Amino acid sequence: MTANSLAGDSLLSQVVIVLVSTRNPLNIGAVARAMSNFGFRRLRVVNPYPLAFREAKSAVGAAALLTDAEEHKSIAESVADCSLVVGTTAARKRKLDHDLRPLNESGRAFRRAIQSGKVALLFGSEKRGLSNEDLSHCHWLMRIPTAESNPSMNLGQAVAVCLYELARPSGPVAKTKKPVANAADLDRLTAILMDTLRLSGYTAPVAASATDEKLRRLVRRLDLSVEDAQVWLGMLRQVLWKIRSRS
Amino acid sequence: MTANSLAGDSLLSQVVIVLVSTRNPLNIGAVARAMSNFGFRRLRVVNPYPLAFREAKSAVGAAALLTDAEEHKSIAESVADCSLVVGTTAARKRKLDHDLRPLNESGRAFRRAIQSGKVALLFGSEKRGLSNEDLSHCHWLMRIPTAESNPSMNLGQAVAVCLYELARPSGPVAKTKKPVANAADLDRLTAILMDTLRLSGYTAPVAASATDEKLRRLVRRLDLSVEDAQVWLGMLRQVLWKIRSRS
């Protein structure tokens, strides 16, 4: 089997693997190796334990990938250029505010998305996974279908399994949605919506941060195209201006 | 997703994972953990480095599995009770005397075989994989479709990927999307949005009917769930009330 049997090479470079608060350098190395095995190239780390990042530089066949890895201060910053952000979770019964899809049903949605923009796949820390705040940056969540008795996978193995699924050779992919708004646009939209609601008395200032998370998820579920995101931004700006001009 | 969505529990117990001459205890532990994650139970090791086996007893959630692992002196002995023996290899061009199937096309053959007897899946040592002598015990060979530039995977990751594929739920798949808002809700939402925009000065009254159509399409493209439609309605009502109260 040749590399051509993996999903198109240039398409895989649209996928960004984001590791959030990873502790163990062996795990970062293992992630880099799996990325290299399956033809992925973009690794970003958000607030890694400093040693974890510096000591990871020995993964077999993945040295260049680790050298090129980007370090970011926040998830928002790490996914700003991505039009789809997918979080991974071992959660099964925990109440979730997102669509939760099994990995084996996610490949198609992923492959479609990478035709219209960068796609980020987020993995949380070894101990606690992704927090609710982390998850609020995601459009939807994905889980590997594991056994109920031991659902939580080792980070390096979880990444390998996900990348295998995403890179697996598949038939032709249905065409194609319009380009999707990126995370920076959605953040702008969320911020304006938040201001509008606050000035309208919809949200009490005291509950602002919980509402902020809810709004971020609400806006992401809209699955807006670049074009529609601009229209909504324009409308909300006008509404906000109107409310402000009368206050 | 429940454990039932993995291939039948009793069937997975027909699969025997055989590690040949494994050196690194971390890898044996990682294999045990992945087996436990995907519901496999039978681990056999052939001529492990003695320390590798004894020191592996700490894999998360896999202690019982490691305690029950069998140690064998030869591959022949380790697979004696199996009716199908499949070897894994990263080989791509090496001359092979066996059928070589990509993992993603092997699941069906595997699932069929485990209905009529035990099936062994062999993994070689970290450094050299399976030797030709080892492979001579196999009916056919399987490889994970990896990139040509770095085909060789970490042992624990390779096992995780194989077990994910073999355990993956097959057959019809349940839909998970939430109930979608009906046209009446969307019409209400459109009407309120229209009023809000008119009062904000976003839409000139004269172009109202063209804008009305555009808004209706815009709102429909949001593909809102029943629940989210109610949230948006509530928010817009409040905004509209605020604008009206000041006019």
Side-chain angles (χ1 to χ4, degrees), chain A residues 12-236:
Chain A
L12 294 188
S13 72
Q14 292 284 79
V15 178
V16 180
I17 304 302
V18 181
L19 302 181
V20 182
S21 307
T22 307
R23 287 161 175 265
N24 185 339
L26 286 175
N27 283 337
I28 298 188
V31 167
R33 180 168 178 182
M35 290 178 65
S36 164
N37 287 143
F38 290 111
F40 295 82
R41 280 183 237 125
R42 290 177 193 270
L43 175 62
R44 295 178 185 172
V45 291
V46 177
N47 291 331
Y49 283 60
L51 274 176
F53 193 41
R54 277 200 295 277
E55 292 193 351
K57 314 264 168 176
S58 61
V60 178
L65 197 152
L66 280 167
T67 307
D68 292 346
E70 297 171 15
E71 195 169 347
H72 291 277
K73 292 279 176 233
S74 68
I75 291 181
E77 184 187 299
S78 74
V79 302
D81 60 344
C82 297
S83 45
L84 173 65
V85 181
V86 177
T88 55
T89 174
R92 183 189 296 274
K93 283 159 192 159
R94 178 172 146 201
K95 188 187 158 344
L96 292 163
D97 298 307
H98 288 84
D99 251 14
L100 176 61
R101 310 183 190 179
L103 171 62
N104 49 303
E105 296 169 29
S106 303
R108 191 174 292 265
F110 242 89
R111 285 186 284 270
R112 205 162 30 218
I114 59 180
Q115 305 200 339
S116 51
K118 288 206 190 78
V119 174
L121 185 57
L122 267 61
F123 294 87
S125 79
E126 294 90 338
K127 283 242 160 148
R128 285 166 305 151
L130 295 168
S131 72
N132 283 333
E133 209 283 323
D134 298 340
L135 294 177
S136 72
H137 293 271
C138 299
H139 292 82
W140 46 272
L141 306 182
M142 194 167 82
R143 66 175 291 275
I144 299 172
T146 45
E148 202 146 356
S149 52
N150 188 15
S152 173
M153 291 189 70
N154 161 273
L155 179 60
Q157 291 178 311
V159 172
V161 166
C162 290
L163 299 187
Y164 162 73
E165 177 66 50
L166 300 182
R168 67 192 276 126
S170 64
V173 166
K175 282 297 249 190
T176 77
K177 285 187 59 164
K178 292 188 173 169
V180 173
N182 64 26
D185 281 338
L186 297 182
D187 280 343
R188 264 191 290 279
L189 193 55
T190 308
I192 295 183
L193 182 60
M194 189 76 187
D195 284 350
T196 306
L197 294 176
R198 214 173 277 142
L199 287 173
S200 303
Y202 181 84
T203 48
V206 74
S209 86
T211 312
D212 202 33
E213 279 177 28
K214 272 188 203 154
L215 284 182
R216 210 179 290 137
R217 288 193 297 265
L218 192 72
V219 167
R220 270 152 184 77
R221 285 199 292 273
L222 300 179
D223 196 21
L224 294 173
S225 68
V226 170
E227 212 173 307
D228 281 1
Q230 294 309 318
V231 174
W232 285 103
L233 266 170
M235 294 189 317
L236 278 172

